[in-house]
Amino acid sequence: MWIAFSTPKGAGFVSIVAKDREGRPTGPNPEDELSIRFRRTEDAAKLGIDDVILTPGGDYGSRAFLSRSAVAELMASMASTMDYTNFKSSIPSEDRDMLHACHDAWSVFGDLQPSGPYSTQPSP
């Protein structure tokens, strides 16, 4: 799962996958670990995650491991404190790299709509 987020501590991006510290797949048990992967290590602190492992040779520069239940609590907390009406506008203007990445992602994912991001076709 990919999540671009914006919190009072700043904006960031994480990738969450179902594998443990040894890279083995994890099951659906709420206490099984998930791997929270960061392109920018500082994004972990924006989510209140302190125990970060640097992985400079990996596809993501750092990782943290949380139980599925802790990830669910984190996501619920983000949802319950969200107060913006436009995600891209919530990204601090000084975080130009994140803002640029989100605009690019918005455009690319917009291409999934039949007529682009501002499709005039009715929803199915």
Side-chain angles (χ1 to χ4, degrees), residues 11 40 86-106:
R40 305 183 306 179
N86 181 295
F87 174 70
K88 294 184 307 298
S89 295
S90 75
I91 299 169
S93 59
E94 61 272 8
D95 191 352
R96 293 186 180 282
D97 291 339
M98 184 64 183
L99 192 55
H100 180 73
C102 286
H103 277 278
D104 285 353
W106 178 87

Side-chain angles (χ1 to χ4, degrees), residues 19-20 25-34 66-71:
K19 60 182 171 180
D20 65 15
T26 61
N29 182 319
E31 296 313 308
D32 284 345
E33 285 186 319
L34 294 175
L66 298 174
S67 67
R68 286 177 182 264
S69 58
V71 171

Side-chain angles (χ1 to χ4, degrees), residues 27-63:
N29 182 319
E31 296 313 308
D32 284 345
E33 285 186 319
L34 294 175
S35 178
I36 318 303
R37 306 170 319 166
F38 302 94
R39 298 282 187 202
R40 305 183 306 179
T41 302
E42 64 268 20
D43 289 351
K46 296 170 188 169
L47 295 176
I49 299 173
D50 298 322
D51 191 16
V52 177
I53 300 165
L54 299 179
T55 52
D59 56 342
Y60 288 81
S62 55
R63 289 166 167 56

